[in-house]
PDB file of all heavy atoms in Angstrom:
ATOM      1  N   PHE A  56    -106.459 114.963 -79.829  1.00  0.00           N
ATOM      2  CA  PHE A  56    -106.291 114.465 -81.194  1.00  0.00           C
ATOM      3  C   PHE A  56    -105.717 113.058 -81.210  1.00  0.00           C
ATOM      4  O   PHE A  56    -106.232 112.210 -82.005  1.00  0.00           O
ATOM      5  CB  PHE A  56    -105.311 115.379 -81.975  1.00  0.00           C
ATOM      6  CG  PHE A  56    -105.892 116.717 -82.318  1.00  0.00           C
ATOM      7  CD1 PHE A  56    -105.140 117.913 -82.297  1.00  0.00           C
ATOM      8  CD2 PHE A  56    -107.262 116.863 -82.644  1.00  0.00           C
ATOM      9  CE1 PHE A  56    -105.647 119.128 -82.596  1.00  0.00           C
ATOM     10  CE2 PHE A  56    -107.788 118.104 -82.991  1.00  0.00           C
ATOM     11  CZ  PHE A  56    -107.009 119.226 -82.948  1.00  0.00           C
ATOM     12  N   ILE A  57    -104.732 112.798 -80.400  1.00  0.00           N
ATOM     13  CA  ILE A  57    -104.170 111.447 -80.383  1.00  0.00           C
ATOM     14  C   ILE A  57    -105.249 110.384 -79.979  1.00  0.00           C
ATOM     15  O   ILE A  57    -105.360 109.356 -80.591  1.00  0.00           O
ATOM     16  CB  ILE A  57    -102.898 111.397 -79.527  1.00  0.00           C
ATOM     17  CG1 ILE A  57    -101.793 112.189 -80.132  1.00  0.00           C
ATOM     18  CG2 ILE A  57    -102.478 109.910 -79.156  1.00  0.00           C
ATOM     19  CD1 ILE A  57    -100.558 112.282 -79.336  1.00  0.00           C
ATOM     20  N   THR A  58    -105.999 110.663 -78.881  1.00  0.00           N
ATOM     21  CA  THR A  58    -107.000 109.792 -78.424  1.00  0.00           C
ATOM     22  C   THR A  58    -108.034 109.471 -79.528  1.00  0.00           C
ATOM     23  O   THR A  58    -108.370 108.331 -79.851  1.00  0.00           O
ATOM     24  CB  THR A  58    -107.769 110.353 -77.219  1.00  0.00           C
ATOM     25  OG1 THR A  58    -106.762 110.815 -76.309  1.00  0.00           O
ATOM     26  CG2 THR A  58    -108.636 109.364 -76.595  1.00  0.00           C
ATOM     27  N   MET A  59    -108.516 110.541 -80.221  1.00  0.00           N
ATOM     28  CA  MET A  59    -109.501 110.393 -81.231  1.00  0.00           C
ATOM     29  C   MET A  59    -108.995 109.582 -82.409  1.00  0.00           C
ATOM     30  O   MET A  59    -109.648 108.802 -83.018  1.00  0.00           O
ATOM     31  CB  MET A  59    -110.008 111.753 -81.725  1.00  0.00           C
ATOM     32  CG  MET A  59    -110.937 112.449 -80.794  1.00  0.00           C
ATOM     33  SD  MET A  59    -111.373 114.070 -81.312  1.00  0.00           S
ATOM     34  CE  MET A  59    -112.851 114.370 -80.393  1.00  0.00           C
ATOM     35  N   THR A  60    -107.682 109.831 -82.704  1.00  0.00           N
ATOM     36  CA  THR A  60    -107.004 109.105 -83.861  1.00  0.00           C
ATOM     37  C   THR A  60    -106.969 107.573 -83.517  1.00  0.00           C
ATOM     38  O   THR A  60    -107.295 106.776 -84.376  1.00  0.00           O
ATOM     39  CB  THR A  60    -105.665 109.669 -84.095  1.00  0.00           C
ATOM     40  OG1 THR A  60    -105.775 111.047 -84.342  1.00  0.00           O
ATOM     41  CG2 THR A  60    -104.992 108.979 -85.248  1.00  0.00           C
ATOM     42  N   ILE A  61    -106.638 107.302 -82.282  1.00  0.00           N
ATOM     43  CA  ILE A  61    -106.529 105.877 -81.895  1.00  0.00           C
ATOM     44  C   ILE A  61    -107.909 105.216 -81.973  1.00  0.00           C
ATOM     45  O   ILE A  61    -108.058 104.082 -82.414  1.00  0.00           O
ATOM     46  CB  ILE A  61    -105.805 105.756 -80.510  1.00  0.00           C
ATOM     47  CG1 ILE A  61    -104.387 106.137 -80.645  1.00  0.00           C
ATOM     48  CG2 ILE A  61    -105.947 104.284 -79.984  1.00  0.00           C
ATOM     49  CD1 ILE A  61    -103.613 106.203 -79.367  1.00  0.00           C
ATOM     50  N   VAL A  62    -108.944 105.938 -81.509  1.00  0.00           N
ATOM     51  CA  VAL A  62    -110.333 105.437 -81.564  1.00  0.00           C
ATOM     52  C   VAL A  62    -110.688 105.088 -83.043  1.00  0.00           C
ATOM     53  O   VAL A  62    -111.231 104.066 -83.349  1.00  0.00           O
ATOM     54  CB  VAL A  62    -111.332 106.389 -80.925  1.00  0.00           C
ATOM     55  CG1 VAL A  62    -112.737 105.893 -81.178  1.00  0.00           C
ATOM     56  CG2 VAL A  62    -111.049 106.481 -79.395  1.00  0.00           C
ATOM     57  N   LYS A  63    -110.440 106.123 -83.923  1.00  0.00           N
ATOM     58  CA  LYS A  63    -110.713 105.922 -85.344  1.00  0.00           C
ATOM     59  C   LYS A  63    -109.922 104.695 -85.915  1.00  0.00           C
ATOM     60  O   LYS A  63    -110.533 103.895 -86.600  1.00  0.00           O
ATOM     61  CB  LYS A  63    -110.347 107.196 -86.119  1.00  0.00           C
ATOM     62  CG  LYS A  63    -111.450 108.210 -86.092  1.00  0.00           C
ATOM     63  CD  LYS A  63    -110.883 109.577 -86.490  1.00  0.00           C
ATOM     64  CE  LYS A  63    -110.806 109.773 -87.939  1.00  0.00           C
ATOM     65  NZ  LYS A  63    -110.430 111.189 -88.277  1.00  0.00           N
ATOM     66  N   ALA A  64    -108.638 104.659 -85.544  1.00  0.00           N
ATOM     67  CA  ALA A  64    -107.862 103.508 -86.067  1.00  0.00           C
ATOM     68  C   ALA A  64    -108.423 102.222 -85.592  1.00  0.00           C
ATOM     69  O   ALA A  64    -108.480 101.260 -86.406  1.00  0.00           O
ATOM     70  CB  ALA A  64    -106.409 103.665 -85.579  1.00  0.00           C
ATOM     71  N   ALA A  65    -108.875 102.159 -84.329  1.00  0.00           N
ATOM     72  CA  ALA A  65    -109.413 100.925 -83.805  1.00  0.00           C
ATOM     73  C   ALA A  65    -110.660 100.495 -84.542  1.00  0.00           C
ATOM     74  O   ALA A  65    -110.855  99.303 -84.859  1.00  0.00           O
ATOM     75  CB  ALA A  65    -109.748 101.084 -82.314  1.00  0.00           C
ATOM     76  N   TYR A  66    -111.514 101.483 -84.933  1.00  0.00           N
ATOM     77  CA  TYR A  66    -112.728 101.137 -85.654  1.00  0.00           C
ATOM     78  C   TYR A  66    -112.362 100.645 -87.093  1.00  0.00           C
ATOM     79  O   TYR A  66    -112.925  99.659 -87.614  1.00  0.00           O
ATOM     80  CB  TYR A  66    -113.657 102.320 -85.736  1.00  0.00           C
ATOM     81  CG  TYR A  66    -114.682 102.390 -84.606  1.00  0.00           C
ATOM     82  CD1 TYR A  66    -114.453 103.297 -83.570  1.00  0.00           C
ATOM     83  CD2 TYR A  66    -115.708 101.474 -84.525  1.00  0.00           C
ATOM     84  CE1 TYR A  66    -115.352 103.313 -82.465  1.00  0.00           C
ATOM     85  CE2 TYR A  66    -116.619 101.512 -83.490  1.00  0.00           C
ATOM     86  CZ  TYR A  66    -116.387 102.418 -82.480  1.00  0.00           C
ATOM     87  OH  TYR A  66    -117.316 102.423 -81.415  1.00  0.00           O
ATOM     88  N   ILE A  67    -111.411 101.278 -87.743  1.00  0.00           N
ATOM     89  CA  ILE A  67    -111.063 100.881 -89.088  1.00  0.00           C
ATOM     90  C   ILE A  67    -110.448  99.465 -89.139  1.00  0.00           C
ATOM     91  O   ILE A  67    -110.861  98.598 -89.822  1.00  0.00           O
ATOM     92  CB  ILE A  67    -110.064 101.884 -89.737  1.00  0.00           C
ATOM     93  CG1 ILE A  67    -110.755 103.219 -89.964  1.00  0.00           C
ATOM     94  CG2 ILE A  67    -109.519 101.343 -91.040  1.00  0.00           C
ATOM     95  CD1 ILE A  67    -109.847 104.346 -90.453  1.00  0.00           C
ATOM     96  N   VAL A  68    -109.490  99.263 -88.161  1.00  0.00           N
ATOM     97  CA  VAL A  68    -108.777  97.942 -88.113  1.00  0.00           C
ATOM     98  C   VAL A  68    -109.740  96.872 -87.613  1.00  0.00           C
ATOM     99  O   VAL A  68    -109.776  95.759 -88.157  1.00  0.00           O
ATOM    100  CB  VAL A  68    -107.536  98.045 -87.275  1.00  0.00           C
ATOM    101  CG1 VAL A  68    -106.868  96.627 -87.197  1.00  0.00           C
ATOM    102  CG2 VAL A  68    -106.551  99.020 -87.858  1.00  0.00           C
ATOM    103  N   GLY A  69    -110.533  97.208 -86.635  1.00  0.00           N
ATOM    104  CA  GLY A  69    -111.375  96.170 -85.942  1.00  0.00           C
ATOM    105  C   GLY A  69    -112.565  95.819 -86.791  1.00  0.00           C
ATOM    106  O   GLY A  69    -112.891  94.631 -86.962  1.00  0.00           O
ATOM    107  N   GLU A  70    -113.316  96.831 -87.341  1.00  0.00           N
ATOM    108  CA  GLU A  70    -114.490  96.578 -88.071  1.00  0.00           C
ATOM    109  C   GLU A  70    -114.273  96.411 -89.561  1.00  0.00           C
ATOM    110  O   GLU A  70    -114.630  95.398 -90.158  1.00  0.00           O
ATOM    111  CB  GLU A  70    -115.589  97.696 -87.820  1.00  0.00           C
ATOM    112  CG  GLU A  70    -115.985  97.758 -86.368  1.00  0.00           C
ATOM    113  CD  GLU A  70    -116.789  96.555 -85.876  1.00  0.00           C
ATOM    114  OE1 GLU A  70    -117.397  95.912 -86.697  1.00  0.00           O
ATOM    115  OE2 GLU A  70    -116.783  96.337 -84.649  1.00  0.00           O
ATOM    116  N   PHE A  71    -113.721  97.468 -90.202  1.00  0.00           N
ATOM    117  CA  PHE A  71    -113.551  97.404 -91.653  1.00  0.00           C
ATOM    118  C   PHE A  71    -112.583  96.345 -92.066  1.00  0.00           C
ATOM    119  O   PHE A  71    -112.813  95.583 -93.018  1.00  0.00           O
ATOM    120  CB  PHE A  71    -113.040  98.769 -92.132  1.00  0.00           C
ATOM    121  CG  PHE A  71    -114.103  99.841 -92.265  1.00  0.00           C
ATOM    122  CD1 PHE A  71    -113.765 101.115 -92.598  1.00  0.00           C
ATOM    123  CD2 PHE A  71    -115.440  99.511 -91.988  1.00  0.00           C
ATOM    124  CE1 PHE A  71    -114.777 102.136 -92.704  1.00  0.00           C
ATOM    125  CE2 PHE A  71    -116.401 100.485 -92.073  1.00  0.00           C
ATOM    126  CZ  PHE A  71    -116.067 101.788 -92.439  1.00  0.00           C
ATOM    127  N   MET A  72    -111.466  96.192 -91.329  1.00  0.00           N
ATOM    128  CA  MET A  72    -110.467  95.170 -91.709  1.00  0.00           C
ATOM    129  C   MET A  72    -110.724  93.876 -90.980  1.00  0.00           C
ATOM    130  O   MET A  72    -110.020  92.878 -91.167  1.00  0.00           O
ATOM    131  CB  MET A  72    -109.037  95.683 -91.393  1.00  0.00           C
ATOM    132  CG  MET A  72    -108.599  96.883 -92.184  1.00  0.00           C
ATOM    133  SD  MET A  72    -107.083  97.678 -91.676  1.00  0.00           S
ATOM    134  CE  MET A  72    -105.958  96.737 -92.694  1.00  0.00           C
ATOM    135  N   HIS A  73    -111.787  93.901 -90.141  1.00  0.00           N
ATOM    136  CA  HIS A  73    -112.318  92.645 -89.598  1.00  0.00           C
ATOM    137  C   HIS A  73    -111.418  91.974 -88.580  1.00  0.00           C
ATOM    138  O   HIS A  73    -111.608  90.812 -88.185  1.00  0.00           O
ATOM    139  CB  HIS A  73    -112.595  91.628 -90.744  1.00  0.00           C
ATOM    140  CG  HIS A  73    -113.809  90.746 -90.465  1.00  0.00           C
ATOM    141  ND1 HIS A  73    -113.634  89.419 -90.185  1.00  0.00           N
ATOM    142  CD2 HIS A  73    -115.091  91.007 -90.440  1.00  0.00           C
ATOM    143  CE1 HIS A  73    -114.873  88.884 -89.963  1.00  0.00           C
ATOM    144  NE2 HIS A  73    -115.769  89.823 -90.157  1.00  0.00           N
ATOM    145  N   LEU A  74    -110.348  92.684 -88.115  1.00  0.00           N
ATOM    146  CA  LEU A  74    -109.394  92.055 -87.251  1.00  0.00           C
ATOM    147  C   LEU A  74    -109.962  91.580 -85.926  1.00  0.00           C
ATOM    148  O   LEU A  74    -109.515  90.583 -85.317  1.00  0.00           O
ATOM    149  CB  LEU A  74    -108.184  92.963 -86.990  1.00  0.00           C
ATOM    150  CG  LEU A  74    -106.976  92.346 -86.346  1.00  0.00           C
ATOM    151  CD1 LEU A  74    -106.407  91.278 -87.206  1.00  0.00           C
ATOM    152  CD2 LEU A  74    -105.891  93.439 -86.076  1.00  0.00           C
ATOM    153  N   ARG A  75    -110.940  92.339 -85.442  1.00  0.00           N
ATOM    154  CA  ARG A  75    -111.602  91.967 -84.207  1.00  0.00           C
ATOM    155  C   ARG A  75    -112.213  90.594 -84.202  1.00  0.00           C
ATOM    156  O   ARG A  75    -112.282  89.940 -83.135  1.00  0.00           O
ATOM    157  CB  ARG A  75    -112.768  92.960 -83.944  1.00  0.00           C
ATOM    158  CG  ARG A  75    -112.838  93.552 -82.547  1.00  0.00           C
ATOM    159  CD  ARG A  75    -113.647  94.846 -82.636  1.00  0.00           C
ATOM    160  NE  ARG A  75    -115.048  94.648 -82.918  1.00  0.00           N
ATOM    161  CZ  ARG A  75    -115.952  94.322 -82.000  1.00  0.00           C
ATOM    162  NH1 ARG A  75    -115.616  94.232 -80.748  1.00  0.00           N
ATOM    163  NH2 ARG A  75    -117.215  94.211 -82.249  1.00  0.00           N
ATOM    164  N   TYR A  76    -112.558  90.108 -85.383  1.00  0.00           N
ATOM    165  CA  TYR A  76    -113.276  88.814 -85.445  1.00  0.00           C
ATOM    166  C   TYR A  76    -112.369  87.683 -85.961  1.00  0.00           C
ATOM    167  O   TYR A  76    -112.805  86.576 -86.167  1.00  0.00           O
ATOM    168  CB  TYR A  76    -114.480  88.941 -86.432  1.00  0.00           C
ATOM    169  CG  TYR A  76    -115.344  90.099 -86.093  1.00  0.00           C
ATOM    170  CD1 TYR A  76    -115.235  91.343 -86.739  1.00  0.00           C
ATOM    171  CD2 TYR A  76    -116.295  90.026 -85.042  1.00  0.00           C
ATOM    172  CE1 TYR A  76    -116.057  92.429 -86.433  1.00  0.00           C
ATOM    173  CE2 TYR A  76    -117.088  91.121 -84.684  1.00  0.00           C
ATOM    174  CZ  TYR A  76    -116.958  92.281 -85.393  1.00  0.00           C
ATOM    175  OH  TYR A  76    -117.735  93.375 -85.043  1.00  0.00           O
ATOM    176  N   GLU A  77    -111.050  88.045 -86.148  1.00  0.00           N
ATOM    177  CA  GLU A  77    -110.116  87.006 -86.610  1.00  0.00           C
ATOM    178  C   GLU A  77    -109.679  86.141 -85.415  1.00  0.00           C
ATOM    179  O   GLU A  77    -109.955  86.540 -84.257  1.00  0.00           O
ATOM    180  CB  GLU A  77    -108.914  87.650 -87.280  1.00  0.00           C
ATOM    181  CG  GLU A  77    -109.222  88.483 -88.485  1.00  0.00           C
ATOM    182  CD  GLU A  77    -109.724  87.679 -89.720  1.00  0.00           C
ATOM    183  OE1 GLU A  77    -109.609  86.471 -89.680  1.00  0.00           O
ATOM    184  OE2 GLU A  77    -110.144  88.308 -90.687  1.00  0.00           O
ATOM    185  N   ALA A  78    -108.939  85.119 -85.696  1.00  0.00           N
ATOM    186  CA  ALA A  78    -108.372  84.312 -84.609  1.00  0.00           C
ATOM    187  C   ALA A  78    -107.488  85.170 -83.709  1.00  0.00           C
ATOM    188  O   ALA A  78    -106.779  86.012 -84.242  1.00  0.00           O
ATOM    189  CB  ALA A  78    -107.563  83.122 -85.187  1.00  0.00           C
ATOM    190  N   LYS A  79    -107.557  84.929 -82.441  1.00  0.00           N
ATOM    191  CA  LYS A  79    -106.840  85.815 -81.461  1.00  0.00           C
ATOM    192  C   LYS A  79    -105.342  85.796 -81.750  1.00  0.00           C
ATOM    193  O   LYS A  79    -104.673  86.818 -81.586  1.00  0.00           O
ATOM    194  CB  LYS A  79    -107.088  85.301 -80.026  1.00  0.00           C
ATOM    195  CG  LYS A  79    -108.451  85.623 -79.530  1.00  0.00           C
ATOM    196  CD  LYS A  79    -108.576  87.197 -79.265  1.00  0.00           C
ATOM    197  CE  LYS A  79    -110.016  87.646 -79.139  1.00  0.00           C
ATOM    198  NZ  LYS A  79    -110.698  87.726 -80.477  1.00  0.00           N
ATOM    199  N   PHE A  80    -104.801  84.661 -82.203  1.00  0.00           N
ATOM    200  CA  PHE A  80    -103.382  84.648 -82.515  1.00  0.00           C
ATOM    201  C   PHE A  80    -102.975  85.598 -83.653  1.00  0.00           C
ATOM    202  O   PHE A  80    -101.965  86.268 -83.531  1.00  0.00           O
ATOM    203  CB  PHE A  80    -102.967  83.175 -82.851  1.00  0.00           C
ATOM    204  CG  PHE A  80    -101.476  82.956 -82.683  1.00  0.00           C
ATOM    205  CD1 PHE A  80    -100.983  82.481 -81.514  1.00  0.00           C
ATOM    206  CD2 PHE A  80    -100.605  83.276 -83.720  1.00  0.00           C
ATOM    207  CE1 PHE A  80     -99.606  82.304 -81.340  1.00  0.00           C
ATOM    208  CE2 PHE A  80     -99.197  83.108 -83.555  1.00  0.00           C
ATOM    209  CZ  PHE A  80     -98.764  82.596 -82.359  1.00  0.00           C
ATOM    210  N   LEU A  81    -103.848  85.686 -84.645  1.00  0.00           N
ATOM    211  CA  LEU A  81    -103.616  86.602 -85.737  1.00  0.00           C
ATOM    212  C   LEU A  81    -103.690  88.033 -85.194  1.00  0.00           C
ATOM    213  O   LEU A  81    -102.866  88.873 -85.517  1.00  0.00           O
ATOM    214  CB  LEU A  81    -104.636  86.342 -86.891  1.00  0.00           C
ATOM    215  CG  LEU A  81    -104.666  87.321 -88.054  1.00  0.00           C
ATOM    216  CD1 LEU A  81    -103.320  87.509 -88.608  1.00  0.00           C
ATOM    217  CD2 LEU A  81    -105.668  86.907 -89.091  1.00  0.00           C
ATOM    218  N   LEU A  82    -104.684  88.330 -84.392  1.00  0.00           N
ATOM    219  CA  LEU A  82    -104.885  89.653 -83.837  1.00  0.00           C
ATOM    220  C   LEU A  82    -103.632  90.143 -83.104  1.00  0.00           C
ATOM    221  O   LEU A  82    -103.105  91.232 -83.370  1.00  0.00           O
ATOM    222  CB  LEU A  82    -106.100  89.625 -82.913  1.00  0.00           C
ATOM    223  CG  LEU A  82    -106.400  90.941 -82.236  1.00  0.00           C
ATOM    224  CD1 LEU A  82    -107.654  91.572 -82.813  1.00  0.00           C
ATOM    225  CD2 LEU A  82    -106.653  90.777 -80.749  1.00  0.00           C
ATOM    226  N   TRP A  83    -103.120  89.256 -82.248  1.00  0.00           N
ATOM    227  CA  TRP A  83    -101.943  89.672 -81.434  1.00  0.00           C
ATOM    228  C   TRP A  83    -100.643  89.687 -82.276  1.00  0.00           C
ATOM    229  O   TRP A  83     -99.796  90.513 -82.014  1.00  0.00           O
ATOM    230  CB  TRP A  83    -101.777  88.763 -80.234  1.00  0.00           C
ATOM    231  CG  TRP A  83    -102.903  89.018 -79.230  1.00  0.00           C
ATOM    232  CD1 TRP A  83    -103.858  88.102 -78.849  1.00  0.00           C
ATOM    233  CD2 TRP A  83    -103.155  90.246 -78.542  1.00  0.00           C
ATOM    234  NE1 TRP A  83    -104.722  88.761 -77.959  1.00  0.00           N
ATOM    235  CE2 TRP A  83    -104.332  90.028 -77.728  1.00  0.00           C
ATOM    236  CE3 TRP A  83    -102.581  91.487 -78.480  1.00  0.00           C
ATOM    237  CZ2 TRP A  83    -104.858  91.016 -76.915  1.00  0.00           C
ATOM    238  CZ3 TRP A  83    -103.092  92.502 -77.684  1.00  0.00           C
ATOM    239  CH2 TRP A  83    -104.289  92.238 -76.903  1.00  0.00           C
ATOM    240  N   SER A  84    -100.587  88.840 -83.329  1.00  0.00           N
ATOM    241  CA  SER A  84     -99.413  88.881 -84.211  1.00  0.00           C
ATOM    242  C   SER A  84     -99.329  90.292 -84.892  1.00  0.00           C
ATOM    243  O   SER A  84     -98.227  90.753 -85.200  1.00  0.00           O
ATOM    244  CB  SER A  84     -99.509  87.834 -85.294  1.00  0.00           C
ATOM    245  OG  SER A  84     -99.609  86.548 -84.719  1.00  0.00           O
ATOM    246  N   ILE A  85    -100.448  90.858 -85.132  1.00  0.00           N
ATOM    247  CA  ILE A  85    -100.416  92.234 -85.768  1.00  0.00           C
ATOM    248  C   ILE A  85    -100.253  93.347 -84.743  1.00  0.00           C
ATOM    249  O   ILE A  85     -99.516  94.251 -84.993  1.00  0.00           O
ATOM    250  CB  ILE A  85    -101.756  92.409 -86.615  1.00  0.00           C
ATOM    251  CG1 ILE A  85    -101.908  91.346 -87.664  1.00  0.00           C
ATOM    252  CG2 ILE A  85    -101.804  93.787 -87.193  1.00  0.00           C
ATOM    253  CD1 ILE A  85    -100.827  91.288 -88.659  1.00  0.00           C
ATOM    254  N   LEU A  86    -100.907  93.199 -83.605  1.00  0.00           N
ATOM    255  CA  LEU A  86    -100.909  94.311 -82.621  1.00  0.00           C
ATOM    256  C   LEU A  86     -99.604  94.378 -81.775  1.00  0.00           C
ATOM    257  O   LEU A  86     -99.156  95.473 -81.530  1.00  0.00           O
ATOM    258  CB  LEU A  86    -102.095  94.152 -81.701  1.00  0.00           C
ATOM    259  CG  LEU A  86    -103.459  94.401 -82.337  1.00  0.00           C
ATOM    260  CD1 LEU A  86    -104.563  94.498 -81.276  1.00  0.00           C
ATOM    261  CD2 LEU A  86    -103.445  95.708 -83.183  1.00  0.00           C
ATOM    262  N   VAL A  87     -99.009  93.205 -81.405  1.00  0.00           N
ATOM    263  CA  VAL A  87     -97.868  93.324 -80.541  1.00  0.00           C
ATOM    264  C   VAL A  87     -96.697  94.064 -81.140  1.00  0.00           C
ATOM    265  O   VAL A  87     -96.088  94.887 -80.490  1.00  0.00           O
ATOM    266  CB  VAL A  87     -97.480  91.854 -80.031  1.00  0.00           C
ATOM    267  CG1 VAL A  87     -96.150  91.890 -79.320  1.00  0.00           C
ATOM    268  CG2 VAL A  87     -98.570  91.333 -79.079  1.00  0.00           C
ATOM    269  N   PRO A  88     -96.322  93.802 -82.434  1.00  0.00           N
ATOM    270  CA  PRO A  88     -95.212  94.540 -83.031  1.00  0.00           C
ATOM    271  C   PRO A  88     -95.340  96.042 -83.001  1.00  0.00           C
ATOM    272  O   PRO A  88     -94.332  96.747 -83.142  1.00  0.00           O
ATOM    273  CB  PRO A  88     -95.093  94.000 -84.421  1.00  0.00           C
ATOM    274  CG  PRO A  88     -95.737  92.628 -84.376  1.00  0.00           C
ATOM    275  CD  PRO A  88     -96.871  92.826 -83.368  1.00  0.00           C
ATOM    276  N   ILE A  89     -96.591  96.539 -82.870  1.00  0.00           N
ATOM    277  CA  ILE A  89     -96.790  97.998 -82.843  1.00  0.00           C
ATOM    278  C   ILE A  89     -96.029  98.665 -81.685  1.00  0.00           C
ATOM    279  O   ILE A  89     -95.740  99.818 -81.711  1.00  0.00           O
ATOM    280  CB  ILE A  89     -98.320  98.295 -82.726  1.00  0.00           C
ATOM    281  CG1 ILE A  89     -99.095  97.636 -83.879  1.00  0.00           C
ATOM    282  CG2 ILE A  89     -98.616  99.769 -82.714  1.00  0.00           C
ATOM    283  CD1 ILE A  89     -98.783  98.188 -85.239  1.00  0.00           C
ATOM    284  N   ILE A  90     -95.685  97.828 -80.692  1.00  0.00           N
ATOM    285  CA  ILE A  90     -94.945  98.376 -79.534  1.00  0.00           C
ATOM    286  C   ILE A  90     -93.672  99.025 -79.970  1.00  0.00           C
ATOM    287  O   ILE A  90     -93.166  99.998 -79.372  1.00  0.00           O
ATOM    288  CB  ILE A  90     -94.755  97.247 -78.455  1.00  0.00           C
ATOM    289  CG1 ILE A  90     -94.351  97.827 -77.118  1.00  0.00           C
ATOM    290  CG2 ILE A  90     -93.647  96.263 -78.944  1.00  0.00           C
ATOM    291  CD1 ILE A  90     -94.433  96.817 -75.972  1.00  0.00           C
ATOM    292  N   PHE A  91     -93.021  98.495 -81.086  1.00  0.00           N
ATOM    293  CA  PHE A  91     -91.827  99.112 -81.563  1.00  0.00           C
ATOM    294  C   PHE A  91     -92.044 100.515 -82.058  1.00  0.00           C
ATOM    295  O   PHE A  91     -91.185 101.392 -81.943  1.00  0.00           O
ATOM    296  CB  PHE A  91     -91.196  98.241 -82.675  1.00  0.00           C
ATOM    297  CG  PHE A  91     -90.676  96.902 -82.164  1.00  0.00           C
ATOM    298  CD1 PHE A  91     -91.307  95.755 -82.466  1.00  0.00           C
ATOM    299  CD2 PHE A  91     -89.548  96.908 -81.306  1.00  0.00           C
ATOM    300  CE1 PHE A  91     -90.806  94.525 -82.008  1.00  0.00           C
ATOM    301  CE2 PHE A  91     -89.073  95.709 -80.834  1.00  0.00           C
ATOM    302  CZ  PHE A  91     -89.726  94.506 -81.224  1.00  0.00           C
ATOM    303  N   ILE A  92     -93.239 100.699 -82.671  1.00  0.00           N
ATOM    304  CA  ILE A  92     -93.568 102.057 -83.193  1.00  0.00           C
ATOM    305  C   ILE A  92     -93.752 103.030 -82.035  1.00  0.00           C
ATOM    306  O   ILE A  92     -93.280 104.127 -82.074  1.00  0.00           O
ATOM    307  CB  ILE A  92     -94.851 102.010 -84.106  1.00  0.00           C
ATOM    308  CG1 ILE A  92     -94.624 101.121 -85.301  1.00  0.00           C
ATOM    309  CG2 ILE A  92     -95.328 103.399 -84.432  1.00  0.00           C
ATOM    310  CD1 ILE A  92     -95.817 100.933 -86.196  1.00  0.00           C
ATOM    311  N   VAL A  93     -94.402 102.552 -80.976  1.00  0.00           N
ATOM    312  CA  VAL A  93     -94.626 103.390 -79.815  1.00  0.00           C
ATOM    313  C   VAL A  93     -93.296 103.793 -79.206  1.00  0.00           C
ATOM    314  O   VAL A  93     -93.023 104.965 -78.926  1.00  0.00           O
ATOM    315  CB  VAL A  93     -95.503 102.658 -78.755  1.00  0.00           C
ATOM    316  CG1 VAL A  93     -95.619 103.459 -77.445  1.00  0.00           C
ATOM    317  CG2 VAL A  93     -96.843 102.312 -79.313  1.00  0.00           C
TER     318      VAL A  93
END
Side-chain angles (χ1 to χ4, degrees):
Chain A
F56 287 144
I57 289 176
T58 311
M59 285 175 160
T60 304
I61 291 172
V62 172
K63 276 162 81 175
Y66 271 105
I67 292 174
V68 177
E70 297 293 335
F71 283 176
M72 297 171 89
H73 213 254
L74 190 61
R75 226 158 70 85
Y76 309 98
E77 301 289 353
K79 285 290 163 282
F80 200 92
L81 173 53
L82 180 107
W83 291 115
S84 301
I85 300 300
L86 292 189
V87 170
I89 302 295
I90 198 167
F91 291 111
I92 295 177
V93 176

